[in-house]
Amino acid sequence: MSTPVSARHLPDDAEPAPPSTLVVFGASGDLTKRLLMPALYNLAREKALDPAFEVIGVDHLERGEDDFRAYLTTSMQALVKEGGGEFEAARLDLQAWNWIAGRLRYLTGDFDDPETYRRLAERLEKRAKENGHANAVFYLATAPRFFGTVIERLGAAGLTRETEKGFRRIVIEKPFGTDLASAEALNRRILKIAGESQLYRIDHFLGKETVQNIMVLRFANGFFEPLWNRDHIDHVQITAAETVGVEHRGRFYEATGALRDMVPNHMFQLLAMTAMEAPNSFGADAVRSEKAKVIEAVRRWSPEEAGENSVRGQYDAGSVLGRPMRPYTQEPDVAPDSTTETYVALKLMIDNWRWASVPFYIRTGKSMAVRRTEIAIQFKQAPSILFRGTPAGLPDPNLLVFRIQPSEGISLRFAAKVPGRTVRLGEVDMDFRYSDYFAAEPSTGYETLIYDCLIGDPTLFQRADNIEAGWSAVQPFLDCWAQPSGGVHLYKSGGSGPLAADALMKRDGRAWLPLSPAV
Ligand code: BG6
């Protein structure tokens, strides 16, 4: 085995990001404390931020700057102590945290009040005079209903105008819309204010090292590509299983459900990385165009077909990793008769030359047996003539699995001879674990995204057409499920999802990979 090398969030020769002001709308919210602050802290540890970097938190909560700093310091300490979330650290590196804390400013104001933006403009002008730059990133860590309003108010206050003194960029969190029509409307609304090159729509899956790695594996290695098509691949399974339930997000989840929450964004990122054509370059638009193209090629089922090719599930009581779980309908802020899905399985077809007749099965759910995100490529069976009528039995098809989380790596399953005088076949796995070769720094995934936005690289962000392609591909399922007949199948918490999802595969003579706690 080679010596482990350090895989940092940033390449070792990466320059610190240019000086800038990060304006966070929703500064007292969950995302800011749980993900943005840990990511900024990690960037500070890596010396990836400029000394003139500053954060201005904006929120309606009346509080002073010292109070804001104390609140975030306490929450960082709690994250370190509790562990188990996206942020892992043995201890808080006070030097790095104080570097960030000393750059935290706060502005009290309502998101729809023009006065908030007038005062923000004053602050930014003052900073421009002091630092000689006017670079600003506006990060919308707010509830989605504010996205359009904040951007319009920023525009009206002249804050989205770029000059030779500085860039103006806007980061928009998910969910971006709730269906195709609302996503198109939001795009139209914000594109009146800012150019596409100023808009950075986040999908945090793209900040994950291993998701980015799929493209490198496919296109930097010669042996995958010749096999990567309908001649050799039987089907693809994409899984994102979670052990958590909806936790404190009942209100959001009731209106959202598993399909909207995970599929047009995260699951389609995995699908696009797996199925896209090689881009002409790693340039942002080359990559994003190929991704949009492949999602646009996902077959739009008729309402009837959408029903036949989808399964909605909802978790019932059970136990996950030894912890008792209550049914979804007893979670806080969830209606006792809710039919919102916490699990979805879909069969998709991609109507292009490479993938014609190769089904892509995707499933995602909460409160399941294991936490596992993976992409499994099942190859076509080798001709079995040689082994017919012998004790060897028929060889199983080869399976290539990209493991995204929690343990990152790749495994290839193939047949080998079981030692002995008769020829018998046994299945073996050739296993590559990322951690055996690369010493990765703990990362929330947001480090790369924030850094890329500061340096102006939108490759890992969604263009308007990427977002719309995703919604357009799930729209047939949304339409079909909106019919009163669309029921939901209960599944036991801690299991593998509803039986109906097994039936979806079985009718094609296939089966999901087991979700056993192994690996
Ligand atoms: C979020 C969804 O976007 O992604 C959550 O809203 C989900 O419901 C989460 O749990 C999964 O992300 P990760 O990084 O934990 O796999």
Side-chain angles (χ1 to χ4, degrees):
M1 189 186 302
S2 325
T3 317
V5 296
S6 176
R8 312 176 74 82
H9 319 300
L10 304 171
D12 289 339
D13 55 356
E15 295 284 326
S20 51
T21 308
L22 179 67
V23 181
V24 180
F25 289 90
S28 302
D30 197 48
L31 183 84
T32 303
K33 68 172 187 207
R34 216 166 35 80
L35 289 160
L36 297 188
M37 287 303 140
L40 291 177
Y41 160 84
N42 280 337
L43 287 171
R45 288 183 60 221
E46 291 171 4
K47 308 217 175 330
L49 300 171
D50 188 274
F53 176 76
E54 193 172 285
V55 177
I56 303 180
V58 183
D59 219 314
H60 66 275
L61 208 72
E62 198 78 51
R63 66 173 7 146
E65 234 148 56
D66 287 343
D67 180 42
F68 181 54
R69 247 173 249 135
Y71 153 76
L72 289 176
T73 304
T74 311
S75 81
M76 283 295 288
Q77 281 160 342
L79 287 179
V80 172
K81 204 158 140 217
E82 287 155 17
E86 293 86 349
F87 177 55
E88 293 162 39
R91 59 176 194 89
L92 194 64
D93 171 348
L94 278 181
Q95 206 184 347
W97 174 246
N98 289 339
W99 194 96
I100 291 290
R103 287 168 171 76
L104 293 175
R105 310 282 176 264
Y106 190 77
L107 178 69
T108 305
D110 283 331
F111 300 149
D112 56 4
D113 182 359
E115 177 59 15
T116 308
Y117 300 83
R118 196 191 56 72
R119 285 189 288 126
L120 179 59
E122 263 174 26
R123 295 256 192 127
L124 290 174
E125 264 163 45
K126 185 161 167 277
R127 261 184 68 70
K129 284 204 188 102
E130 285 164 8
N131 296 304
H133 77 82
N135 296 334
V137 170
F138 303 103
Y139 198 117
L140 274 51
T142 66
R145 66 178 188 282
F146 291 115
F147 293 167
T149 309
V150 172
I151 295 173
E152 281 169 356
R153 296 276 187 266
L154 285 169
L159 288 169
T160 51
R161 207 173 310 121
E162 302 198 290
T163 63
E164 71 285 355
K165 278 238 177 120
F167 57 72
R168 294 297 159 102
R169 298 180 185 138
I170 303 170
V171 179
I172 309 165
E173 269 293 333
K174 78 171 263 271
F176 192 99
T178 53
D179 57 13
L180 178 58
S182 59
E184 284 173 340
L186 184 55
N187 272 330
R188 273 197 304 273
R189 192 172 166 194
I190 64 179
L191 281 163
K192 282 191 196 136
I193 314 291
E196 179 61 53
S197 65
Q198 295 176 275
L199 296 170
Y200 288 67
R201 300 174 193 80
I202 277 209
D203 182 324
H204 81 274
F205 262 46
L206 286 174
K208 293 182 194 285
E209 194 64 40
T210 35
V211 174
Q212 295 167 49
N213 193 28
I214 302 170
M215 261 208 301
V216 175
L217 289 164
R218 279 191 59 198
F219 300 128
N221 296 296
F223 64 90
F224 287 122
E225 220 34 39
L227 302 177
W228 218 250
N229 56 50
R230 68 196 151 104
D231 295 335
H232 302 281
I233 292 178
D234 176 74
H235 75 277
V236 177
Q237 294 185 19
I238 304 181
T239 300
E242 298 185 86
T243 48
V244 289
V246 291
E247 302 180 308
H248 59 281
R249 298 164 76 219
R251 188 161 300 131
F252 160 78
Y253 209 81
E254 272 288 84
T256 308
L259 180 76
R260 288 187 169 92
D261 190 35
M262 293 292 289
V263 178
N265 35 63
H266 307 329
M267 301 299 280
F268 278 3
Q269 291 301 340
L270 303 181
L271 178 96
M273 293 283 196
T274 310
M276 70 197 264
E277 296 300 314
N280 289 348
S281 73
F282 270 144
D285 280 327
V287 172
R288 296 188 297 175
S289 296
E290 289 307 334
K291 284 166 131 186
K293 245 157 75 185
V294 76
I295 301 296
E296 277 157 17
V298 171
R299 187 179 304 166
R300 289 357 180 208
W301 298 118
S302 69
E304 196 177 295
E305 289 167 331
E308 286 162 13
N309 289 295
S310 64
V311 173
R312 306 174 71 224
Q314 185 188 81
Y315 64 82
D316 202 349
S319 121
V320 175
L321 306 172
R323 213 179 54 237
M325 283 292 290
R326 57 188 159 202
Y328 172 71
T329 47
Q330 286 175 27
E331 298 281 18
D333 299 320
V334 170
D337 57 352
S338 171
T339 55
T340 299
E341 82 284 355
T342 60
Y343 172 101
V344 57
L346 305 176
K347 176 181 172 181
L348 303 173
M349 301 302 292
I350 299 181
D351 286 333
N352 66 15
W353 189 260
R354 184 189 286 264
W355 296 114
S357 79
V358 178
F360 281 67
Y361 300 95
I362 65 181
R363 61 176 164 170
T364 179
K366 295 204 181 282
S367 200
M368 301 188 63
V370 284
R371 174 171 186 243
R372 184 173 307 161
T373 306
E374 68 183 21
I375 301 164
I377 319 287
Q378 182 157 323
F379 289 88
K380 291 193 167 162
Q381 196 158 32
S384 53
I385 312 146
L386 220 56
F387 302 102
R388 207 185 290 150
T390 75
L394 295 183
D396 279 331
N398 297 121
L399 190 69
L400 179 71
V401 181
F402 289 118
R403 293 192 306 266
I404 312 287
Q405 58 191 18
S407 66
E408 300 152 11
I410 302 179
S411 64
L412 178 63
R413 182 167 301 172
F414 53 91
K417 180 181 173 297
V418 178
R421 272 176 290 281
T422 52
V423 177
R424 280 191 301 118
L425 304 183
E427 277 189 351
V428 296
D429 283 320
M430 200 156 71
D431 212 11
F432 155 69
R433 281 165 202 263
Y434 224 68
S435 56
D436 288 344
Y437 288 81
F438 303 105
E441 303 267 319
S443 153
T444 64
Y446 275 72
E447 292 78 0
T448 309
L449 298 174
I450 294 173
Y451 177 81
D452 282 3
C453 178
L454 294 176
I455 65 166
D457 180 352
T459 312
L460 299 178
F461 294 83
Q462 302 243 73
R463 240 175 20 196
D465 58 338
N466 296 98
I467 293 266
E468 289 173 16
W471 280 118
S472 152
V474 298
Q475 194 61 49
F477 301 105
L478 291 174
D479 292 342
C480 163
W481 296 354
Q483 304 308 314
S485 57
V488 67
H489 300 267
L490 291 182
Y491 61 96
K492 201 168 153 219
S493 278
S496 309
L499 291 175
D502 296 341
L504 179 79
M505 290 290 255
K506 204 167 170 200
R507 81 173 183 219
D508 292 347
R510 301 184 174 107
W512 295 108
L513 291 180
L515 281 183
S516 48
V519 196

